[in-house]
Amino acid sequence: MRKDIEIPEVKDVYIAAVKELHEEYKTQDWNAYIINDGKEPLEIVLITVQGYSNTQMTSHTRHKIAILPAKGFAKIEFMEESIFKVDNFYTVTYFLNNKMYEKRWEFPAFSIKERSLKSIPVMPKKGVLAI
């Protein structure tokens, strides 16, 4: 029975940490984004986030995006810099063409830093892509 289950490969979807100006407080903040670089919108996007190490664990958070347009992106959450010292995991489940997709991305501990900023798909900003 397990051999009959098709698990489609996730393509053209990314998780990125982006440092940007917070307009109200005039601070440079890190935010997590989900990026859809595909040609079709993603439906019912469910995201769970948790960070942990051998000695610490962050709270488990959940997010929902009804539709993420093709070549679009959406902010997931603000990233407090104190969590950068633990491994942070983003598990994303979504529907595309009536099939369910799922993938887990990771920001390893200490991987989110300004010197790691690079161009990222779709967004006109630089960021750090999760692996």
Side-chain angles (χ1 to χ4, degrees):
M1 298 262 243
R2 283 184 104 172
K3 64 179 170 51
D4 297 327
I5 298 173
E6 178 190 349
I7 302 173
E9 181 184 355
V10 171
K11 296 179 182 175
D12 301 322
V13 177
Y14 307 94
I15 300 293
V18 177
K19 192 166 193 180
E20 56 194 350
L21 177 66
H22 187 288
E23 293 292 331
E24 184 178 349
Y25 297 115
K26 306 294 184 218
T27 57
Q28 290 289 322
D29 296 337
W30 287 95
N31 294 296
Y33 281 87
I34 182 167
I35 302 168
N36 177 11
D37 195 19
K39 297 177 183 175
E40 300 287 332
L42 309 181
E43 299 176 351
I44 310 173
V45 182
L46 304 173
I47 305 164
T48 62
V49 183
Q50 186 165 29
Y52 52 86
S53 68
N54 291 336
T55 59
Q56 292 182 304
M57 184 179 297
T58 67
S59 61
H60 193 111
T61 60
R62 294 171 181 85
H63 308 275
K64 178 187 173 200
I65 301 167
I67 295 179
L68 184 59
K71 302 292 181 185
F73 57 89
K75 184 176 175 179
I76 301 170
E77 64 183 4
F78 164 74
M79 300 176 81
E80 168 58 48
E81 291 188 32
S82 65
I83 67 166
F84 296 168
K85 61 186 172 188
V86 299
D87 298 324
N88 288 278
F89 297 93
Y90 288 73
T91 303
V92 178
T93 306
Y94 61 90
F95 287 90
L96 174 63
N97 297 322
N98 292 320
K99 287 188 182 179
M100 187 172 77
Y101 291 75
E102 184 174 77
K103 184 171 178 180
R104 184 175 178 169
W105 285 268
E106 176 185 2
F107 288 110
F110 303 105
S111 65
I112 301 173
K113 49 192 162 203
E114 285 197 54
R115 68 174 185 246
S116 299
L117 293 172
K118 297 181 177 151
S119 294
I120 54 177
V122 179
M123 294 183 74
K125 300 178 180 189
K126 292 190 174 198
V128 178
L129 288 176
I131 52 173

